[in-house]
Amino acid sequence: MAEDEEIDYDTLAQSVLLASSQHDIPALRTLLQNCRANFQDPETLSSPLHAAIAACDPDLSDSKNNDEHVNGTTNGVTNGTSNGDLPDTKTELEQAAATLKYLLQNGAIWNDLDANNETPGCLAKRLGLDPLYDIMVDAGVRAELLLNRLDGYEALPEADSDSEQDDVNVDIEGAPAMTSDYNPSSVKDHPPSTIEDTSSTPNLPASNPSPPIDPSLTNSAYLSSTLTHTPTNNLLDASSNGIMMTWETPIMTRTATLLLPTPNLRVLNIGHGLGILDDALQTHFPASHHIIEAHPTVLSQMRENGWSSKPGVTIHSGRWQDIAPNLLEQGETFDAIYFDTFAESYSALRTFFSEFVVGLLSEGGRFGFFMGCGADRRICYDVYTKVVEIDLFEAGFEVDWEEIGVDVGGMDERGEWEGVRRRYWVLDKYRLPICRFLE
């Protein structure tokens, strides 16, 4: 295309969407010379990935086949083809798979949301297109792994020339746009660490004060917030975010059983919350039971409930970031360790098992944590299950998952989420992780 020829990007975008729906990679190869595949239709918000997947909708294929049958069948022959020669679904899926991979290589975003609030992977799962769903999960894993790694590096100094602006878009296959509303990098429903730094927020005039910080955004805001209990005995922060809820009881009960298979073991729990897990751990008669808790309200409740006087129980008041190094220096080791904190991103969990569990867990010991990463969307939960597995492996751990059913419908009937700002769990299966050192 001539340099002085003006590009109609609206038409170009629609052409890319059409070529994606037709799985026409040669056409995409030409079209994407002038743009990347990371855009969405202004009305439907469908991306090229959505278009490529939607074209494989079995209902659309059945409708097309029925039309051909009605309009062209004579004595068992349809347009010169026997009734048994239906379109090759396998071939169609293979073409769609190749198209998805090509789009991802050219900047398509794995977790863009369309007007139906579906990512491309959500759409593939709803349509029963598992091979395409798996491609989107793998794209999410690659993107999240790389973004998590980049989060650990300091930003390079800004370039002097404005001509470097185009280089800002690092080519991360399937990586989400930096302005994406969704980021599953949190342990429960807690925002990612990238929005924790509020120090650069400009000062507003005194007549227009800044709104109070949501306690779930930063750990420091959470620790200074007021906690409340709902009528259903759920623990909420000052913005009504769920810290710990009673629906987690079966999960915690089973976790305690797997962490402490025999009596007289040493256990460390980070994050007391409602005390559901610590109550369950006590039923297995640990030899020593250490609890790290940082919130003043929870610590006060623990004293009222008699935890400070229970035999073998040691309460460490403070943040795990301050307590865990001391335990390492003292040479403490544990047969079981559990991690479930609030207002901390996934990077905090990764840091904990990479830098502290490796030194605090005894040989043959077991490590667990609340697996709530991305639990407000199926594909994000699947993505972070794989991300966690990879990070654990790099830290020297193997993980076994046990699925536990979650009565999502029953939560509504019992009013579990009444008064809670937003749900941090919507799935009908919980994956319970038990980690051990690699042999």
Side-chain angles (χ1 to χ4, degrees), residues 142-215:
R142 290 192 297 272
E144 292 301 307
L145 283 173
L146 185 50
L147 289 173
N148 286 342
R149 296 304 185 270
L150 292 176
D151 186 49
Y153 291 92
E154 294 184 4
L156 294 174
E158 294 184 2
D160 295 333
S161 171
D162 293 338
S163 64
E164 298 294 331
Q165 182 63 34
D166 291 340
D167 294 334
V168 172
N169 294 322
V170 181
D171 189 8
I172 304 172
E173 184 178 332
M178 298 307 292
T179 57
S180 175
D181 290 335
Y182 181 76
N183 189 316
S185 301
S186 55
V187 177
K188 281 192 178 175
D189 193 26
H190 319 145
S193 58
T194 52
I195 62 175
E196 288 186 358
D197 184 8
T198 58
S199 59
S200 60
T201 302
N203 293 326
L204 298 176
S207 59
N208 185 22
S210 301
I213 298 176
D214 182 342

Side-chain angles (χ1 to χ4, degrees), residues 31-277:
L31 292 166
L32 294 178
Q33 290 178 359
N34 299 298
C35 69
R36 297 186 69 190
N38 59 342
F39 62 85
Q40 295 173 267
D41 181 88
E43 295 183 3
T44 66
L45 300 183
S46 291
S47 70
L49 293 172
H50 286 95
I53 294 170
C56 298
D57 186 343
D59 290 339
L60 293 179
S61 298
D62 291 343
S63 176
K64 180 180 179 181
N65 294 335
N66 289 336
D67 289 343
E68 291 176 349
H69 179 80
V70 171
N71 295 326
T73 300
T74 303
N75 296 326
V77 177
T78 304
N79 296 328
T81 304
S82 66
N83 280 343
D85 294 335
L86 298 177
D88 190 340
T89 303
K90 181 179 180 180
T91 300
E92 183 180 32
L93 285 177
E94 290 174 346
Q95 293 172 345
T99 302
L100 293 182
K101 293 176 181 178
Y102 186 77
L103 290 169
L104 289 164
Q105 291 167 0
N106 284 272
I109 309 302
W110 76 274
N111 61 350
D112 272 338
L113 295 175
D114 65 11
N116 294 321
N117 194 36
E118 288 186 318
T119 68
C122 297
L123 176 61
K125 174 59 69 173
R126 177 167 60 81
L127 297 179
L129 305 172
D130 288 346
L132 305 187
Y133 178 78
D134 291 341
I135 291 174
M136 297 314 306
V137 169
D138 289 342
V141 171
R142 290 192 297 272
E144 292 301 307
L145 283 173
L146 185 50
L147 289 173
N148 286 342
R149 296 304 185 270
L150 292 176
D151 186 49
Y153 291 92
E154 294 184 4
L156 294 174
E158 294 184 2
D160 295 333
S161 171
D162 293 338
S163 64
E164 298 294 331
Q165 182 63 34
D166 291 340
D167 294 334
V168 172
N169 294 322
V170 181
D171 189 8
I172 304 172
E173 184 178 332
M178 298 307 292
T179 57
S180 175
D181 290 335
Y182 181 76
N183 189 316
S185 301
S186 55
V187 177
K188 281 192 178 175
D189 193 26
H190 319 145
S193 58
T194 52
I195 62 175
E196 288 186 358
D197 184 8
T198 58
S199 59
S200 60
T201 302
N203 293 326
L204 298 176
S207 59
N208 185 22
S210 301
I213 298 176
D214 182 342
S216 70
L217 296 184
T218 69
N219 191 252
S220 59
Y222 160 65
L223 294 179
S224 62
S225 69
T226 302
L227 307 186
T228 60
H229 287 81
T230 68
T232 53
N233 198 34
N234 295 321
L235 186 62
L236 310 182
D237 68 13
S239 293
S240 298
N241 297 301
I243 299 170
M244 192 172 198
M245 302 181 64
T246 54
W247 70 264
E248 300 175 33
T249 300
I251 292 172
M252 298 301 169
T253 300
R254 180 58 180 161
T255 296
T257 298
L258 294 176
L259 287 176
L260 300 180
T262 61
N264 298 317
L265 296 178
R266 301 157 296 171
V267 61
L268 168 65
N269 179 36
I270 294 87
H272 181 76
L274 289 172
I276 299 174
L277 177 67

